Amino acid sequence: MKKVVIGANESGQRFDKYLAKTLSEAPKSFLYKMLRKKNITLNDKKADGSEKLSMGDTVTFWLSDETFEKFRGEVRAVPETALPKPDIIFEDEQILIMNKPAGLLSQKAVPEDVSINEMMIGWLLDSGQLTREALQSFRPSVCNRLDRNTSGLITGGKTLAGLQFLSEGFRDRTIHKYYFCLVQGRVEKKVRLKGYLLKDEKTNKVTITREARHQADYIETEYEPLAVGKNCTLLKVFLITGRTHQIRAHLANVGNPIIGDYKYGSPEMNAAFKKEYGIRRQLLHAGILKMPVCGDSFAGLSEKVFTAPLPNDFRHVMMGEHLPWQEGWMS
């Protein structure tokens, strides 16, 4: 027999979903059978799985230790070896904001990958904020994604409430994201682009059109030049909608591809900047996050602005192209 008291990270979800996470190797038919036979109870009463859990509820598993361990399965892989601590810009009890370097995945694609998501979980384990046992029913996670070779701000929810807060903010566009990029050509004025984006799942590449097409998503991208060089421009981009490769494809579509972008950019331009500056990735950086007015337990984040400094490869090109950086742009 095993008793579990529901905490903040488990509350608010359906009982059957909690059971499916806790006994991840058990068939659903087994879980519902155990509920019917009162071998699994909620607050010492029979339950059907549709109940919504609250903090302080007690779940009792009238199962042998062998059965419980058999169906619990392994906690989803977290490397046993120490991982580097992520570059943390901000941390409180609910969320983390980190600066992801170029070359690092946001989330793993295959089991052997190491991503900033694993680094975040490793930090929470190492700092005693999380236990491996707790990972059985709740897993902290990053809430926005950046391409492997895009650097900058990425957020993570340490608690269920933190995950919900961030997910809602990105979904409703109340959390504003600003990017910086170096593009080919001279951009002289502020622009607001509108169009439609169609993704090819097989090639993981998108196409931009001005007219609506079947299954294409409407997109808007706004940008302004901060500095103009001899053959490139530093842009500040406001992501109004957030679609796969939106900034990269939208800028390429209007003739200003991002330098170092080997999927949507200019091969000649990329080769020239690789030779002169060693650029091997798209020069796109998620530099600013602006929080909305927040209430309740997130009031401390209300209208805060978080920034991540431009990486060295940006600054190296800017020095050569005479694009002086002013810290006031990070606002």
Side-chain angles (χ1 to χ4, degrees):
M1 187 268 284
K2 185 177 182 66
K3 276 186 178 286
V4 177
V5 177
I6 297 299
N9 289 331
E10 293 80 33
S11 66
Q13 63 182 308
R14 279 175 57 112
F15 189 25
D16 51 4
K17 291 187 179 295
Y18 165 80
L19 293 176
K21 293 175 185 176
T22 303
L23 298 177
S24 59
E25 300 299 313
K28 287 185 178 179
S29 57
F30 173 82
L31 296 176
Y32 288 117
K33 181 180 179 180
M34 294 300 97
L35 288 170
R36 289 195 303 271
K37 296 180 67 174
K38 294 181 67 175
N39 286 342
I40 300 176
T41 60
L42 178 61
N43 296 324
D44 297 322
K45 297 178 181 178
K46 186 176 181 179
D48 63 16
S50 65
E51 298 82 3
K52 184 167 284 190
L53 297 176
S54 299
M55 281 188 63
D57 284 346
T58 302
V59 180
T60 305
F61 297 89
W62 296 95
L63 306 172
S64 68
D65 291 343
E66 293 79 8
T67 300
F68 188 87
E69 292 301 320
K70 171 187 173 183
F71 287 128
R72 185 177 68 163
E74 294 294 326
V75 174
R76 279 176 287 176
V78 175
E80 295 291 341
T81 55
L83 293 174
K85 178 184 175 182
D87 180 5
I88 297 173
I89 301 294
F90 172 83
E91 181 177 13
D92 64 12
E93 294 181 354
Q94 308 271 25
I95 72 168
L96 275 167
I97 300 177
M98 300 162 284
N99 184 13
K100 186 187 84 66
L104 181 65
L105 288 167
S106 297
Q107 291 186 324
K108 62 169 64 179
V110 294
E112 58 268 24
D113 284 338
V114 173
S115 71
I116 198 164
N117 200 70
E118 276 66 50
M119 290 170 62
M120 178 185 71
I121 291 173
W123 160 246
L124 295 176
L125 288 168
D126 291 344
S127 61
Q129 300 179 66
L130 181 68
T131 66
R132 290 181 178 271
E133 182 70 19
L135 283 172
Q136 194 68 37
S137 57
F138 173 76
R139 189 176 181 87
S141 176
V142 296
C143 290
N144 62 304
R145 294 192 184 192
L146 299 175
D147 293 336
R148 181 197 288 265
N149 288 318
T150 297
S151 56
L153 295 171
I154 194 163
T155 64
K158 296 167 60 173
T159 65
L160 179 61
L163 278 173
Q164 292 171 336
F165 165 77
L166 291 169
S167 297
E168 182 179 336
F170 288 123
R171 184 182 66 246
D172 298 343
R173 309 285 174 206
T174 54
I175 298 177
H176 290 173
K177 297 181 286 185
Y178 295 84
Y179 292 73
F180 296 91
C181 59
L182 282 168
V183 300
Q184 177 180 346
R186 296 174 63 87
V187 181
E188 305 285 355
K189 60 182 181 180
K190 187 174 183 178
V191 177
R192 189 180 184 116
L193 295 176
K194 299 179 181 180
Y196 296 86
L197 179 149
L198 185 64
K199 183 178 180 181
D200 185 332
E201 297 290 348
K202 292 182 180 179
T203 62
N204 192 33
K205 193 171 182 178
V206 304
T207 302
I208 306 294
T209 64
R210 292 185 179 180
E211 300 79 23
R213 292 188 181 182
H214 179 61
Q215 293 186 330
D217 295 312
Y218 176 75
I219 57 171
E220 281 192 60
T221 311
E222 183 177 278
Y223 57 86
E224 61 178 316
L226 298 180
V228 182
K230 60 184 180 182
N231 195 28
C232 68
T233 304
L234 174 67
L235 297 181
K236 181 180 180 180
V237 183
F238 176 38
L239 199 57
I240 299 169
T241 58
R243 304 294 182 183
T244 301
H245 298 174
Q246 177 179 324
I247 296 174
R248 296 166 61 187
H250 222 170
L251 288 169
N253 184 252
V254 296
N256 298 113
I258 295 174
I259 293 167
D261 190 339
Y262 287 86
K263 180 165 284 192
Y264 300 102
S266 161
E268 296 78 17
M269 188 78 166
N270 291 340
F273 275 78
K274 181 179 179 181
K275 180 178 180 181
E276 186 168 358
Y277 300 105
I279 300 302
R280 299 175 182 273
R281 62 102 174 188
Q282 67 262 11
L283 291 178
L284 179 62
H285 178 70
I288 302 174
L289 275 180
K290 290 187 176 181
M291 293 292 175
V293 175
C294 309
D296 301 326
S297 57
F298 297 97
L301 291 169
S302 192
E303 298 185 285
K304 280 197 172 182
V305 178
F306 300 99
T307 63
L310 281 181
N312 289 334
D313 51 4
F314 264 81
R315 294 176 181 268
H316 185 46
V317 172
M318 288 167 62
M319 289 173 63
E321 292 290 317
H322 309 294
L323 295 165
W325 174 252
Q326 297 179 21
E327 296 300 336
W329 289 334
M330 282 281 188
S331 62

